[in-house]
Amino acid sequence: MPSQGKLYIVGIGPGCKELMTVKAKKAIESSDYVIGHKRYVDFVRDLVKGKIIVSGMGKEVERVRLAVELARNNIVSLVSGGDPNIYGIAPLVVEYIQSNNISVDYEVIPGVSALNSASPLLGSPISGDHAVISLSDLLVPWETIEKRLRKALEGDFVIAIYNPSSKKRKGNLEKAMKIVMEYKGDTFVGVVKNACRDGEEVRIMRCSEVIDSNFVDMSTIIFVPNSETIIKNGIMLTPRGYSRKYEV
Ligand code: SAH
């Protein structure tokens, strides 16, 4: 029997209310249940009219199973930080529904990802072709991450690095910075911690400084420049190429 309820997979943005979409807000307000990690649920608590279910880190599969079950007869919002498609809960929901042939009405509501909220704080580092790489090897083997990082460097992409470091994975950041240095020398990178939320900090640092300091943590995103990126007066800019055609 088709479900009577609905499951929203809601991206809540980087952590300030202004960067949450109107659609995300409406979905949460209309929900009988709001489910998510404590940090995200706390952030939207004032919007919730239904019940709140807090689910722990590492309990993603259980969280999804519960949300899908409840969504058979209820409106449910599964909340995820930034955009739910990017290192978020959306792919797991779609995989779970597909693998188990579940008939449930669901909708993924996009959110402003860390990449979008952090890059303007540096100027305009992305601008065109770019790659997005996570250094977390919890679900992806390090060999794959390293291969993708090397290919992105060979391809001269601007690279946004998610999940650069955590207490358990400090070594991955050092390995990644050393790989960047193989291709680019001890280049400057853009580093943004807590973009658009309390504790926001923006720095331009050399790769070696990133390794030596303890500045980068799991609330940080790093932008690796491409060969055209200009870093000057604290601004990181990758020109789109207008000056090849026009006088800028
Ligand atoms: N779905 C999220 C990403 C989750 S992975 C999104 O679209 O943004 C978690 C990683 O995202 C963190 O380790 C960090 O690298 C990055 N991140 C999330 N929010 C951030 C913020 N406000 N400032 C800087 N980096 C952030």
Side-chain angles (χ1 to χ4, degrees):
M1 219 176 66
S3 72
Q4 304 293 305
K6 174 137 188 176
L7 175 58
Y8 293 108
I9 301 104
V10 186
I12 60 168
C16 65
K17 288 276 153 58
E18 290 86 351
L19 289 180
M20 191 190 296
T21 66
V22 175
K23 197 165 182 179
K25 194 166 170 270
K26 281 187 182 159
I28 292 165
E29 284 169 345
S30 73
S31 288
D32 303 311
Y33 291 91
V34 174
I35 307 179
H37 183 257
K38 184 171 184 307
R39 174 178 200 166
Y40 305 134
V41 165
D42 281 348
F43 180 64
V44 299
R45 207 170 271 274
D46 60 322
L47 301 173
V48 180
K49 300 199 172 84
K51 293 195 175 72
I52 285 178
I53 302 178
V54 174
S55 153
M57 202 68 140
K59 300 264 184 249
E60 288 82 7
V61 178
E62 288 91 324
R63 192 184 309 160
V64 166
R65 196 176 292 138
L66 175 64
V68 169
E69 194 50 44
L70 286 169
R72 289 182 192 279
N73 298 301
N74 300 278
I75 313 285
V76 179
S77 278
L78 193 51
V79 289
S80 191
D83 182 282
N85 285 295
I86 304 178
Y87 313 119
I89 202 85
L92 177 59
V93 175
V94 178
E95 186 179 353
Y96 179 75
I97 288 171
Q98 288 218 327
S99 318
N100 296 287
N101 284 318
I102 294 169
S103 160
V104 65
D105 186 11
Y106 73 92
E107 182 179 348
V108 181
I109 300 181
V112 176
S113 187
L115 168 86
N116 309 110
S117 51
S119 63
L121 302 175
L122 284 158
S124 194
I126 299 174
S127 93
D129 303 333
H130 62 279
V132 177
I133 294 179
S134 163
L135 298 190
S136 171
D137 55 4
L138 286 177
L139 301 172
V140 178
W142 173 257
E143 296 68 42
T144 305
I145 297 168
E146 174 166 345
K147 184 177 85 185
R148 290 177 182 162
L149 178 59
R150 287 185 183 280
K151 295 289 176 200
L153 287 159
E154 279 163 28
D156 197 27
F157 288 94
V158 171
I159 307 168
I161 297 182
Y162 280 68
N163 294 304
S165 186
S166 76
K167 285 187 191 96
K168 287 188 201 143
R169 291 184 287 101
K170 281 244 179 295
N172 290 2
L173 175 63
E174 180 169 350
K175 282 191 273 182
M177 287 297 105
K178 287 188 170 156
I179 292 168
V180 172
M181 285 159 82
E182 274 179 42
Y183 292 78
K184 295 184 174 293
D186 194 5
T187 180
F188 284 110
V189 292
V191 183
V192 181
K193 189 185 277 191
N194 289 314
C196 308
R197 63 185 184 216
D198 284 351
E200 179 180 285
E201 276 188 80
V202 182
R203 292 193 188 174
I204 306 260
M205 301 169 84
R206 286 201 187 272
C207 292
S208 57
E209 226 182 312
V210 169
I211 296 172
D212 293 341
S213 75
N214 273 328
F215 181 70
V216 171
D217 63 10
M218 60 196 290
S219 299
T220 311
I221 185 165
I222 300 177
F223 294 89
V224 177
N226 73 10
S227 62
E228 293 178 19
T229 306
I230 300 159
I231 299 177
K232 207 166 83 181
N233 302 329
I235 302 269
M236 193 169 172
L237 161 73
T238 309
R240 279 204 59 205
Y242 282 99
S243 58
R244 286 192 200 115
K245 236 179 143 182
Y246 307 100
E247 195 164 331
V248 180

